[in-house]
Amino acid sequence: MGIIAKIAAGLKKTKASFLGRLKRIFNSFTKIDEELFEELEEAMIMSDIGVETSLEICDRLRKKIKERGITDPNDIMELIQEVIGEIMGDDTGLDLTQSPAVIMVIGVNGAGKTTTIGKLCHQFKKEKKKVLVAAADTFRAAAIDQLEVWTERAGVDIVKHAEGSDPGAVVYDALEAAKARDCDVVIIDTAGRLHNKKNLMDELAKINRIIDNKAGECSREVLLVLDATTGQNAVNQAKLFSETAPITGIVLTKLDGTAKGGIVISIKNELGIPVKLIGVGEKIDDLQPFDSRSFVEALFSDTDFDSEDEDEDDIISDEESEDTEEIEDTEEIEEIEEIEETEEIVEESEETEEPEEVAEATEEAEVVEETEEIVEEEVAE
C-alpha cells in the first residue's frame, strides 16, 4: 500500500465526517451567502479544525470567491482544498544530518510515546542506522520495562538506570555511550507528567543543557507526541509543551481511530509547528512521515483506497498467513492435545469413581435389605 493510500485509510473516519458535512451543506444551498459561510464554519469546528482556523479558512474563501466570481456553491469544495493546502505549506522531515542525531520525545502519558519510539527504532534499524535509546522516563512505573521490550524487538541498544533515578544522568550516560559506539541516532524518552508545570520545565531544561554540552554540534529534534483522538485537547497540550521545550515537530498518533484528524490543520495554522510523523495503524510500519500534499489529497479524494488495495492486502495477508500457519497449527495442536489429555484424565477419574460409587451404593442397599428382613422376622415372631 502506497503512502497516499495509507494516509487515506487512516483518515477514513475524518474524511467521512468532514466531507459528509460539507456535501450536505452544498446540497442544501443554491446560492453563496453569509448563511452558507456560517454553516461552513460550524461544520469545520465540528470536525476539530478549531474556531480560529475555521474562521481563517472562511475568510480566505470569501476573498477567492470574490476574486474569481464564483456563484455555484458546489464549486467551493475545490477552493476549500486549495486553502487548506496553502495553510499546510511545505513539509520538513527529521533532521538527522549530523551524527549522533538526538531526538527527544516528549508528551503526556498515554499519547503513544513508547510505541512511537519503538516504531522509530524499527524504521531506523531498517535504514541500517545504529540507534541508542535513553530511558529517561524514570518516574512512571514500568516505563523502562516497556521501552526495553520495544528495543529488544527492534534490536537496538538501551541505556537505563533504576526507577526513580536522575533522568539527566541517564541522558548524559546515553550520549557518552552513543559517541563511544559511533551511533547514528539517540532517542530520548522523557517523563510525561511531573508534579507540576515548573518541575516539567526544569527537567526538560536540564536535559537540554546536557544535550547542549555533550552533543551541541549534532542534529537536534524535539518531537511532541499527541493523541489525535483527543481532538482540540491535543492542540492545548501542544500550546503548553511549546512553553516548556523548543518543539521542532509533532507526532500525531492514533489518526486511524478518530474522526478528529482536522487538528492537523489547526496545529499547523495556530502553532506553526510542522507535523512530521503520523500514526495511521497499529502495525510497526504504520508510523509514516507526514506529507501535507498527500494529506490534503486523501482528505478530499473520492477514491476508495481500501477497495483499490484490497487485492494487495489479500496477497500480503496470504504471505503473512503462510509464515504463521505452521506456528498457529502447532499451537492449535498443542491446545487440542492438552484438552484431550485433560478429558482423558477426567474420564479415567470418572471411570474410577463410578465403580466405587456403585459399589458403595450396592453395599448400602444390601445393608438396608438385611435390616428390613430382620425387622420383618421380629414382627412375625
Short mmCIF file of all heavy atoms in Angstrom, two decimals, residues 134-178:
data_model
loop_
_atom_site.label_atom_id
_atom_site.label_comp_id
_atom_site.label_asym_id
_atom_site.label_seq_id
_atom_site.Cartn_x
_atom_site.Cartn_y
_atom_site.Cartn_z
N ALA A 134 17.69 6.24 25.19
CA ALA A 134 17.91 6.65 26.59
C ALA A 134 16.57 6.59 27.33
O ALA A 134 15.65 7.34 27.00
CB ALA A 134 18.48 8.06 26.63
N ALA A 135 16.48 5.71 28.32
CA ALA A 135 15.24 5.55 29.08
C ALA A 135 15.20 6.58 30.21
O ALA A 135 15.42 6.26 31.38
CB ALA A 135 15.14 4.13 29.63
N ALA A 136 14.90 7.83 29.84
CA ALA A 136 14.96 8.93 30.81
C ALA A 136 13.62 9.20 31.50
O ALA A 136 13.52 10.14 32.28
CB ALA A 136 15.45 10.21 30.13
N ASP A 137 12.60 8.39 31.20
CA ASP A 137 11.35 8.48 31.96
C ASP A 137 11.49 7.54 33.16
O ASP A 137 11.06 6.40 33.13
CB ASP A 137 10.16 8.09 31.10
CG ASP A 137 8.83 8.24 31.86
OD1 ASP A 137 8.87 8.64 33.03
OD2 ASP A 137 7.77 7.95 31.26
N THR A 138 12.10 8.06 34.21
CA THR A 138 12.36 7.23 35.39
C THR A 138 11.28 7.40 36.46
O THR A 138 11.39 6.84 37.54
CB THR A 138 13.73 7.60 36.00
OG1 THR A 138 13.71 8.99 36.36
CG2 THR A 138 14.84 7.36 35.00
N PHE A 139 10.24 8.18 36.15
CA PHE A 139 9.21 8.47 37.13
C PHE A 139 8.02 7.51 37.04
O PHE A 139 7.44 7.14 38.04
CB PHE A 139 8.70 9.91 36.97
CG PHE A 139 9.74 10.94 37.27
CD1 PHE A 139 10.56 11.45 36.26
CD2 PHE A 139 9.94 11.40 38.56
CE1 PHE A 139 11.53 12.38 36.53
CE2 PHE A 139 10.92 12.34 38.84
CZ PHE A 139 11.71 12.84 37.83
N ARG A 140 7.65 7.13 35.80
CA ARG A 140 6.47 6.29 35.61
C ARG A 140 6.82 4.82 35.83
O ARG A 140 7.80 4.32 35.29
CB ARG A 140 5.89 6.49 34.21
CG ARG A 140 4.61 5.69 33.94
CD ARG A 140 3.97 6.14 32.64
NE ARG A 140 4.81 5.86 31.49
CZ ARG A 140 4.78 4.72 30.80
NH1 ARG A 140 3.96 3.74 31.17
NH2 ARG A 140 5.56 4.55 29.77
N ALA A 141 6.01 4.15 36.60
CA ALA A 141 6.22 2.73 36.87
C ALA A 141 6.14 1.94 35.57
O ALA A 141 5.25 2.15 34.76
CB ALA A 141 5.17 2.23 37.86
N ALA A 142 7.07 1.05 35.37
CA ALA A 142 7.13 0.13 34.22
C ALA A 142 7.51 0.81 32.90
O ALA A 142 7.55 0.16 31.87
CB ALA A 142 5.80 -0.60 34.04
N ALA A 143 7.78 2.12 32.91
CA ALA A 143 8.15 2.81 31.67
C ALA A 143 9.43 2.23 31.08
O ALA A 143 9.54 2.01 29.86
CB ALA A 143 8.32 4.30 31.93
N ILE A 144 10.41 1.96 31.95
CA ILE A 144 11.69 1.42 31.49
C ILE A 144 11.50 0.01 30.94
O ILE A 144 12.07 -0.34 29.89
CB ILE A 144 12.72 1.43 32.63
CG1 ILE A 144 12.94 2.87 33.12
CG2 ILE A 144 14.03 0.80 32.19
CD1 ILE A 144 13.78 2.98 34.38
N ASP A 145 10.69 -0.79 31.62
CA ASP A 145 10.45 -2.17 31.17
C ASP A 145 9.78 -2.19 29.80
O ASP A 145 10.15 -2.98 28.93
CB ASP A 145 9.57 -2.91 32.18
CG ASP A 145 10.27 -3.11 33.52
OD1 ASP A 145 11.52 -3.09 33.52
OD2 ASP A 145 9.59 -3.27 34.54
N GLN A 146 8.78 -1.33 29.60
CA GLN A 146 8.09 -1.27 28.31
C GLN A 146 9.03 -0.86 27.19
O GLN A 146 9.01 -1.43 26.10
CB GLN A 146 6.92 -0.28 28.39
CG GLN A 146 5.78 -0.75 29.28
CD GLN A 146 4.72 0.32 29.47
OE1 GLN A 146 4.83 1.40 28.91
NE2 GLN A 146 3.71 0.01 30.25
N LEU A 147 9.87 0.12 27.48
CA LEU A 147 10.82 0.58 26.47
C LEU A 147 11.84 -0.50 26.14
O LEU A 147 12.26 -0.66 24.99
CB LEU A 147 11.52 1.84 26.98
CG LEU A 147 12.19 2.73 25.94
CD1 LEU A 147 11.17 3.22 24.92
CD2 LEU A 147 12.86 3.92 26.61
N GLU A 148 12.22 -1.25 27.15
CA GLU A 148 13.18 -2.33 26.95
C GLU A 148 12.62 -3.40 26.03
O GLU A 148 13.35 -3.97 25.20
CB GLU A 148 13.57 -2.93 28.31
CG GLU A 148 14.84 -3.74 28.27
CD GLU A 148 15.38 -4.05 29.65
OE1 GLU A 148 14.64 -3.87 30.64
OE2 GLU A 148 16.55 -4.46 29.73
N VAL A 149 11.33 -3.68 26.16
CA VAL A 149 10.69 -4.67 25.29
C VAL A 149 10.76 -4.21 23.83
O VAL A 149 11.09 -4.98 22.92
CB VAL A 149 9.22 -4.90 25.71
CG1 VAL A 149 8.47 -5.72 24.66
CG2 VAL A 149 9.15 -5.58 27.06
N TRP A 150 10.46 -2.92 23.60
CA TRP A 150 10.49 -2.39 22.24
C TRP A 150 11.90 -2.41 21.66
O TRP A 150 12.09 -2.72 20.48
CB TRP A 150 9.94 -0.96 22.23
CG TRP A 150 8.44 -0.89 22.13
CD1 TRP A 150 7.56 -0.60 23.11
CD2 TRP A 150 7.65 -1.11 20.95
NE1 TRP A 150 6.27 -0.63 22.64
CE2 TRP A 150 6.30 -0.94 21.31
CE3 TRP A 150 7.97 -1.44 19.63
CZ2 TRP A 150 5.27 -1.09 20.39
CZ3 TRP A 150 6.92 -1.58 18.72
CH2 TRP A 150 5.60 -1.41 19.10
N THR A 151 12.88 -2.04 22.46
CA THR A 151 14.26 -2.02 21.95
C THR A 151 14.75 -3.42 21.63
O THR A 151 15.49 -3.62 20.66
CB THR A 151 15.21 -1.35 22.96
OG1 THR A 151 15.08 -1.99 24.24
CG2 THR A 151 14.89 0.13 23.10
N GLU A 152 14.33 -4.40 22.41
CA GLU A 152 14.69 -5.79 22.12
C GLU A 152 14.08 -6.25 20.81
O GLU A 152 14.72 -6.94 20.01
CB GLU A 152 14.24 -6.70 23.27
CG GLU A 152 15.08 -6.57 24.53
CD GLU A 152 14.57 -7.43 25.67
OE1 GLU A 152 13.54 -8.14 25.45
OE2 GLU A 152 15.16 -7.39 26.75
N ARG A 153 12.82 -5.87 20.59
CA ARG A 153 12.16 -6.23 19.33
C ARG A 153 12.88 -5.62 18.13
O ARG A 153 13.04 -6.25 17.09
CB ARG A 153 10.71 -5.73 19.33
CG ARG A 153 9.78 -6.52 20.24
CD ARG A 153 8.39 -5.90 20.19
NE ARG A 153 7.47 -6.53 21.12
CZ ARG A 153 6.25 -6.09 21.36
NH1 ARG A 153 5.79 -5.00 20.74
NH2 ARG A 153 5.46 -6.72 22.22
N ALA A 154 13.28 -4.36 18.28
CA ALA A 154 13.92 -3.66 17.16
C ALA A 154 15.40 -4.01 17.02
O ALA A 154 16.01 -3.76 15.98
CB ALA A 154 13.77 -2.15 17.35
N GLY A 155 15.97 -4.58 18.08
CA GLY A 155 17.39 -4.95 18.04
C GLY A 155 18.32 -3.77 18.19
O GLY A 155 19.35 -3.68 17.51
N VAL A 156 17.95 -2.82 19.07
CA VAL A 156 18.80 -1.66 19.31
C VAL A 156 19.20 -1.61 20.79
O VAL A 156 18.57 -2.26 21.64
CB VAL A 156 18.09 -0.34 18.91
CG1 VAL A 156 17.68 -0.39 17.45
CG2 VAL A 156 16.88 -0.08 19.79
N ASP A 157 20.23 -0.81 21.08
CA ASP A 157 20.74 -0.71 22.45
C ASP A 157 19.91 0.27 23.28
O ASP A 157 19.29 1.19 22.74
CB ASP A 157 22.20 -0.25 22.44
CG ASP A 157 23.12 -1.29 21.81
OD1 ASP A 157 22.73 -2.47 21.78
OD2 ASP A 157 24.20 -0.90 21.32
N ILE A 158 19.95 0.07 24.59
CA ILE A 158 19.25 0.97 25.51
C ILE A 158 20.15 1.28 26.69
O ILE A 158 20.89 0.42 27.18
CB ILE A 158 17.92 0.33 25.99
CG1 ILE A 158 17.15 1.31 26.89
CG2 ILE A 158 18.15 -0.99 26.69
CD1 ILE A 158 15.75 0.84 27.25
N VAL A 159 20.11 2.52 27.14
CA VAL A 159 20.81 2.94 28.36
C VAL A 159 19.74 3.24 29.39
O VAL A 159 18.85 4.06 29.16
CB VAL A 159 21.68 4.19 28.11
CG1 VAL A 159 22.24 4.72 29.43
CG2 VAL A 159 22.82 3.85 27.16
N LYS A 160 19.82 2.58 30.54
CA LYS A 160 18.79 2.74 31.57
C LYS A 160 19.43 2.78 32.94
O LYS A 160 20.52 2.24 33.15
CB LYS A 160 17.79 1.60 31.50
CG LYS A 160 18.42 0.22 31.71
CD LYS A 160 17.41 -0.90 31.69
CE LYS A 160 18.10 -2.23 31.98
NZ LYS A 160 17.14 -3.34 32.09
N HIS A 161 18.74 3.44 33.86
CA HIS A 161 19.11 3.44 35.28
C HIS A 161 17.93 2.89 36.06
O HIS A 161 16.89 2.55 35.49
CB HIS A 161 19.45 4.86 35.74
CG HIS A 161 20.76 5.36 35.21
ND1 HIS A 161 21.34 6.53 35.63
CD2 HIS A 161 21.62 4.85 34.28
CE1 HIS A 161 22.48 6.73 34.99
NE2 HIS A 161 22.66 5.73 34.16
N ALA A 162 18.07 2.85 37.36
CA ALA A 162 16.99 2.34 38.20
C ALA A 162 15.81 3.31 38.21
O ALA A 162 15.96 4.52 37.97
CB ALA A 162 17.49 2.12 39.63
N GLU A 163 14.63 2.78 38.48
CA GLU A 163 13.44 3.62 38.56
C GLU A 163 13.60 4.67 39.66
O GLU A 163 14.07 4.38 40.75
CB GLU A 163 12.21 2.74 38.86
CG GLU A 163 10.90 3.51 38.88
CD GLU A 163 9.71 2.60 39.17
OE1 GLU A 163 9.77 1.42 38.81
OE2 GLU A 163 8.75 3.09 39.79
N GLY A 164 13.24 5.90 39.35
CA GLY A 164 13.35 7.00 40.30
C GLY A 164 14.69 7.71 40.27
O GLY A 164 14.89 8.68 41.01
N SER A 165 15.61 7.27 39.41
CA SER A 165 16.93 7.91 39.34
C SER A 165 16.85 9.21 38.53
O SER A 165 15.81 9.56 37.97
CB SER A 165 17.95 6.95 38.70
OG SER A 165 17.52 6.54 37.42
N ASP A 166 17.96 9.91 38.46
CA ASP A 166 18.00 11.21 37.79
C ASP A 166 17.95 11.04 36.28
O ASP A 166 18.85 10.43 35.68
CB ASP A 166 19.30 11.92 38.20
CG ASP A 166 19.42 13.31 37.57
OD1 ASP A 166 18.42 13.78 36.99
OD2 ASP A 166 20.50 13.91 37.67
N PRO A 167 16.93 11.58 35.60
CA PRO A 167 16.83 11.47 34.15
C PRO A 167 18.02 12.10 33.43
O PRO A 167 18.47 11.62 32.39
CB PRO A 167 15.54 12.22 33.81
CG PRO A 167 14.74 12.20 35.07
CD PRO A 167 15.74 12.27 36.16
N GLY A 168 18.54 13.20 34.00
CA GLY A 168 19.69 13.87 33.40
C GLY A 168 20.90 12.96 33.34
O GLY A 168 21.66 12.98 32.36
N ALA A 169 21.08 12.15 34.37
CA ALA A 169 22.22 11.21 34.40
C ALA A 169 22.07 10.15 33.31
O ALA A 169 23.07 9.73 32.69
CB ALA A 169 22.31 10.55 35.77
N VAL A 170 20.84 9.73 33.07
CA VAL A 170 20.58 8.73 32.02
C VAL A 170 20.96 9.32 30.65
O VAL A 170 21.62 8.67 29.84
CB VAL A 170 19.09 8.30 32.01
CG1 VAL A 170 18.83 7.30 30.89
CG2 VAL A 170 18.69 7.70 33.35
N VAL A 171 20.53 10.56 30.41
CA VAL A 171 20.83 11.22 29.14
C VAL A 171 22.34 11.42 28.96
O VAL A 171 22.89 11.18 27.88
CB VAL A 171 20.09 12.58 29.05
CG1 VAL A 171 20.52 13.35 27.80
CG2 VAL A 171 18.58 12.36 29.05
N TYR A 172 23.00 11.83 30.03
CA TYR A 172 24.46 12.03 30.00
C TYR A 172 25.16 10.72 29.61
O TYR A 172 26.01 10.71 28.70
CB TYR A 172 24.94 12.51 31.36
CG TYR A 172 26.42 12.82 31.43
CD1 TYR A 172 26.89 14.11 31.19
CD2 TYR A 172 27.35 11.82 31.71
CE1 TYR A 172 28.25 14.40 31.24
CE2 TYR A 172 28.70 12.09 31.76
CZ TYR A 172 29.15 13.38 31.53
OH TYR A 172 30.50 13.66 31.57
N ASP A 173 24.81 9.64 30.29
CA ASP A 173 25.44 8.35 30.01
C ASP A 173 25.12 7.87 28.59
O ASP A 173 25.96 7.26 27.91
CB ASP A 173 24.97 7.30 31.01
CG ASP A 173 25.55 7.54 32.40
OD1 ASP A 173 26.49 8.35 32.51
OD2 ASP A 173 25.04 6.93 33.37
N ALA A 174 23.88 8.13 28.14
CA ALA A 174 23.48 7.70 26.80
C ALA A 174 24.28 8.43 25.72
O ALA A 174 24.72 7.81 24.73
CB ALA A 174 21.98 7.94 26.60
N LEU A 175 24.48 9.72 25.90
CA LEU A 175 25.25 10.49 24.91
C LEU A 175 26.71 10.06 24.91
O LEU A 175 27.35 9.99 23.85
CB LEU A 175 25.13 11.99 25.21
CG LEU A 175 23.72 12.58 25.00
CD1 LEU A 175 23.68 14.04 25.45
CD2 LEU A 175 23.28 12.46 23.55
N GLU A 176 27.25 9.78 26.08
CA GLU A 176 28.63 9.26 26.16
C GLU A 176 28.73 7.92 25.42
O GLU A 176 29.67 7.70 24.65
CB GLU A 176 29.03 9.09 27.63
CG GLU A 176 29.34 10.39 28.35
CD GLU A 176 30.70 10.92 27.97
OE1 GLU A 176 31.66 10.14 27.86
OE2 GLU A 176 30.80 12.15 27.75
N ALA A 177 27.76 7.05 25.68
CA ALA A 177 27.76 5.73 25.04
C ALA A 177 27.58 5.84 23.54
O ALA A 177 28.20 5.10 22.76
CB ALA A 177 26.65 4.86 25.64
N ALA A 178 26.74 6.78 23.09
CA ALA A 178 26.48 6.95 21.66
C ALA A 178 27.75 7.34 20.92
O ALA A 178 28.02 6.85 19.82
CB ALA A 178 25.39 7.99 21.45
#
